[in-house]
Amino acid sequence: MNFSYQMTALYTILVKEVLRFTRIWVQTILPPAITMALYFVIFGKLIGSAIDSSATDGYSYIDYIVPGLIMMSVITNSYSNVVSSFYSAKYQGHLQELLVSPTPNMIIILGFIGGGVIRGLMVGAIVTVVSMFFTDLNIAHPVITLLTVFLTAVLFATAGLINGVYAKSFDDISIVPVFVLTPLTYLGGVFYSIKLLSDFWQTVSLANPILYMVNGFRYGFLGVSDINIYACFAVILIFWGILFSIAYFLLDRGIGIRT
Amino acid sequence: MSKALQINNLRKTYANGFTALKGVSLDVEQGDFFALLGGNGAGKSTMIGIISSLVNKTDGDVKVCGFDLETQRSQAKSMIGLVPQEFNINMFEPVDEILINQAGYYGVPRKEATIRARQLLEQLELWDKRKNMARELSGGMKRRLMIARALIHRPKLLILDEPTAGVDIEIRRSMWDFLTKLNTAGMTIILTTHYLEEAESMCRNIAIINKGEIVKNTSMKTLLSGLNHETFILDLKTPVTQVPHTDEFTITLIDESTLEVELSKDFSINRIFEVLNNHDIRVNSMRNKSNRLEELFLEMVHQNNAENTSEETA
Ligand SMILES: Nc1ncnc2c1ncn2[C@@H]1O[C@H](COP(=O)(O)OP(=O)(O)O)[C@@H](O)[C@H]1O
Ligand SMILES: [Mg+2]
């Protein structure tokens, strides 16, 4: 397959992926918007107004958590889009449409990841719009903001793909989000600054990759972060490199998809 | 001209240790209409899985239109259109998008794909259903959708794995017509079936596979001419107690109004009636005991099994 054929194949997968999640928008787009609106009302407005701004680097609580909440929806949505789409393609058998075609594995991987990234960013944008009903957004470093959110979406879409490759049942596609992703996100400094924690728990928190993404993103918005911004990018890129290699290896070997 | 398919000593042992193909070799010429015949579990789908890159082979070589599946996989893949045995369509996708996407995976741009999709949907009588989700189609329609999907990138070799399983007789006929027309227009077609009439009515060449081995590979004509006798069942108008004896064929009395006649192909069916007439036996109706191919098939498989057993005990 020459380059332009490959681009046609990639474009096809992307269109297919976007149509898939927009067809079922009630399951994919609407829930995060509603959940996040609730978070803004309850944590941001009601509880947040009672929180002293010294705990949040001098920012009002809602302003402090907005970047984390956006990031949380980007992470969840880019991950779950790929894992559901890939697993259901495997389960229903139509992944074979791709496997019999000359589309190279690299394009298949990029297509699925791309689909997850688009959904993650789309939901992220919607949540951002929702947040503007509750607070005035100022973005201190737009480039860093966009770069962090993009790379994070790529990272979690890749992770979702690996999950999809390994999944053998519908249970397997919810285990990681429920038992790994959600706890790590909540403990990743979405709702608090790790400076509030004891030294010991601060050090433990540093092992959580999501902390770096949330803080990188918050730095983009507010200009404050618990973590050095270069360290944020380094962590995201290193993790992504590892996950992408795993995903490529799995597809190349046909693990979980060819007998 | 390179062969449409060349398989050499193909072996497959599944992860559980089961050997589904035990060194299969097979050639299919371009333009052929080829039947791969075998009972359930013979290894047909395994073989097709390997040819279409869905199953990893254990050993052996496969070439599609001269392209080696291992070293020139992407060219080889472009040559093949696959209609698998099991439905493998996205039930939550509209019919026309399924086709347009499949074209895209072969590098056919959307605009061109849309034109091709229309042609195929019209030919296969699915145009009315183009906006329906795949899950809203009947079994026969889904099967035709899979045929359309297999043709959208204009392959040279169409492979159908038991395409008419579970399809009613009328649709089966129209599918046969469609495939015959495709073949006449130059498409090489391989189909697997355990439904023997299907092979007989469409295919020119045939391979019979049993327990992972090819037991016969020949032309349909040769195969049929190899049949040396045929068995008929005759229903009689009036009951009889005795049957005539003749050297030309054997007559057995099943019950007082049913005869079974085994006729060598050297003799004409007319002789049966002449002999019976002479004995004042009147025939009400007559039918084949079973499909001739079926008998042959069972015979061949039986022989093969017997040989294997003797090898093992030797
Ligand atoms: N994934 C698999 N793992 C183990 N054995 C398999 C697998 N797929 C098929 N088989 C076995 O291989 C044999 C051939 O199967 P198959 O190729 O599907 O036969 P056919 O299509 O001729 O009915 C059968 O005995 C089947 O049970
Ligand atoms: Mg089969």
Side-chain angles (χ1 to χ4, degrees):
Chain A
M1 258 193 146
N2 68 30
F3 184 73
S4 89
Y5 279 20
Q6 294 191 11
M7 287 305 107
T8 303
L10 178 59
Y11 176 72
T12 305
I13 303 175
L14 289 176
V15 170
K16 179 186 159 99
E17 285 300 298
V18 171
L19 286 176
R20 190 196 75 90
F21 73 71
T22 46
R23 255 197 302 267
I24 48 171
W25 64 276
V26 179
Q27 294 171 49
T28 52
I29 310 282
L30 195 59
I34 293 175
T35 314
M36 289 305 147
L38 288 170
Y39 274 122
F40 291 137
V41 174
I42 293 164
F43 291 106
K45 286 282 177 205
L46 298 178
I47 299 178
S49 58
I51 293 176
D52 191 273
S53 65
S54 65
T56 49
D57 290 321
Y59 290 88
S60 72
Y61 189 64
I62 187 161
D63 286 346
Y64 190 79
I65 64 169
V66 160
L69 288 175
I70 296 171
M71 199 51 125
M72 189 158 116
S73 45
V74 171
I75 289 174
T76 324
N77 281 279
S78 46
Y79 188 94
S80 65
N81 194 68
V82 184
V83 71
S84 327
S85 177
F86 194 87
Y87 178 69
S88 84
K90 203 165 81 165
Y91 177 79
Q92 288 195 67
H94 62 265
L95 186 65
Q96 293 181 354
E97 293 175 341
L98 276 162
L99 299 180
V100 301
S101 82
T103 307
N105 288 334
M106 183 59 90
I107 299 290
I108 297 179
I109 294 176
L110 292 179
F112 275 97
I113 292 179
V117 170
I118 295 171
R119 165 147 154 219
L121 296 182
M122 207 154 132
V123 171
I126 290 170
V127 172
T128 309
V129 171
V130 172
S131 77
M132 293 196 285
F133 288 101
F134 301 94
T135 180
D136 293 326
L137 283 184
N138 289 303
I139 299 181
H141 309 284
V143 176
I144 289 179
T145 309
L146 289 176
L147 203 56
T148 330
V149 74
F150 176 76
L151 290 177
T152 306
V154 173
L155 174 64
F156 282 94
T158 313
L161 182 59
I162 295 174
N163 191 172
V165 169
Y166 274 118
K168 288 195 169 60
S169 69
F170 280 99
D171 285 345
D172 293 346
I173 72 175
S174 59
I175 284 175
V176 178
V178 171
F179 293 102
V180 181
L181 226 48
T182 311
L184 283 184
T185 313
Y186 277 77
L187 298 171
V190 170
F191 295 104
Y192 55 83
S193 160
I194 61 165
K195 288 175 204 144
L196 297 178
L197 303 175
S198 67
D199 285 351
F200 173 75
W201 287 111
Q202 280 197 35
T203 315
V204 172
S205 294
L206 291 176
N208 178 359
I210 295 183
L211 180 79
Y212 297 80
M213 299 159 206
V214 169
N215 275 283
F217 198 53
R218 184 175 288 137
Y219 178 82
F221 268 85
L222 307 177
V224 295
S225 166
D226 290 343
I227 311 278
N228 178 300
I229 185 67
Y230 295 108
C232 293
F233 281 119
V235 166
I236 298 176
L237 287 172
I238 289 167
F239 266 90
W240 177 72
I242 294 169
L243 292 182
F244 190 84
S245 312
I246 295 173
Y248 189 80
F249 172 81
L250 291 175
L251 245 70
D252 201 47
R253 289 298 184 82
I255 292 170
I257 51 176
R258 285 193 175 97
T259 44
Chain B
M1 196 161 65
S2 57
K3 292 192 162 53
L5 183 66
Q6 266 179 295
I7 295 181
N8 192 19
N9 201 22
L10 191 63
R11 298 179 152 273
K12 173 65 187 181
T13 303
Y14 280 107
N16 64 4
F18 183 81
T19 300
L21 294 177
K22 304 168 182 164
V24 168
S25 299
L26 196 66
D27 284 357
V28 177
E29 301 290 339
Q30 294 209 8
D32 200 357
F33 203 139
F34 192 94
L36 184 63
L37 191 69
N40 270 328
K44 303 180 297 293
S45 295
T46 301
M47 191 157 133
I48 290 198
I50 295 174
I51 300 167
S52 53
S53 299
L54 294 173
V55 174
N56 290 325
K57 67 182 181 190
T58 306
D59 199 12
D61 298 304
V62 178
K63 278 191 181 142
V64 185
C65 301
F67 296 114
D68 190 290
L69 203 52
E70 206 155 352
T71 55
Q72 299 163 297
R73 195 180 278 275
S74 105
Q75 289 101 315
K77 278 173 157 182
S78 320
M79 297 293 135
I80 304 173
L82 173 70
V83 182
Q85 181 173 3
E86 311 284 345
F87 290 130
N88 69 344
I89 32 188
N90 186 349
M91 296 298 168
F92 303 97
E93 205 169 17
V95 167
D96 57 351
E97 276 174 39
I98 289 177
L99 297 188
I100 292 168
N101 288 339
Q102 190 65 24
Y105 303 152
Y106 290 81
V108 182
R110 266 192 121 63
K111 207 170 149 198
E112 165 71 15
T114 311
I115 300 169
R116 291 191 195 181
R118 176 169 189 152
Q119 285 168 354
L120 283 167
L121 288 173
E122 283 174 348
Q123 280 173 36
L124 286 152
E125 290 164 42
L126 289 169
W127 179 245
D128 290 346
K129 301 281 177 191
R130 65 190 178 280
K131 293 295 171 198
N132 288 63
M133 297 279 172
R135 67 163 186 277
E136 296 160 353
L137 304 184
S138 70
M141 291 174 184
K142 287 187 186 123
R143 192 67 64 179
R144 279 178 283 151
L145 172 59
M146 295 208 297
I147 296 180
R149 187 184 60 181
L151 293 171
I152 193 90
H153 64 285
R154 310 216 163 124
K156 289 231 160 45
L157 169 63
L158 179 66
I159 304 177
L160 305 105
D161 197 356
E162 307 211 14
T164 53
V167 170
D168 68 38
I169 213 102
E170 199 178 323
I171 294 177
R172 188 181 295 168
R173 297 270 169 212
S174 75
M175 214 182 265
W176 289 0
D177 284 349
F178 181 77
L179 294 177
T180 306
K181 272 190 204 126
L182 266 182
N183 177 249
T184 312
M187 174 86 67
T188 312
I189 300 180
I190 299 178
L191 69 80
T192 79
T193 183
H194 60 248
Y195 182 63
L196 305 139
E197 195 197 338
E198 188 157 86
E200 194 181 350
S201 66
M202 288 190 288
C203 302
R204 261 191 302 285
N205 288 298
I206 183 166
I208 297 178
I209 182 170
N210 181 50
K211 295 190 177 162
E213 285 175 290
I214 302 278
V215 291
K216 190 94 186 174
N217 184 359
T218 179
S219 76
M220 205 53 129
K221 263 204 192 104
T222 319
L223 187 78
L224 294 177
S225 67
L227 292 165
N228 39 32
H229 63 261
E230 214 169 336
T231 309
F232 299 99
I233 306 279
L234 307 182
D235 290 319
L236 307 182
K237 257 206 162 69
T238 46
V240 295
T241 47
Q242 263 202 316
V243 293
H245 283 279
T246 154
D247 295 336
E248 294 168 55
F249 43 85
T250 47
I251 306 181
T252 336
L253 194 62
I254 307 278
D255 59 48
E256 56 179 21
S257 56
T258 317
L259 295 183
E260 189 176 306
V261 182
E262 203 178 311
L263 179 73
S264 154
K265 69 166 171 135
D266 300 331
F267 295 97
S268 153
I269 297 178
N270 288 21
R271 283 298 293 146
I272 300 179
F273 296 104
E274 285 168 24
V275 171
L276 293 179
N277 252 343
N278 291 342
H279 289 79
D280 262 346
I281 298 175
R282 300 279 169 253
V283 178
N284 217 1
S285 67
M286 168 178 169
R287 64 193 149 90
N288 265 96
K289 186 179 180 187
S290 60
N291 188 299
R292 293 159 301 148
L293 265 177
E294 194 143 16
E295 277 172 35
L296 180 88
F297 177 63
L298 290 174
E299 207 172 277
M300 214 156 341
V301 164
H302 190 75
Q303 260 174 27
N304 183 251
N305 289 351
E307 277 166 24
N308 281 352
T309 325
S310 59
E311 267 169 32
E312 274 162 27
T313 46

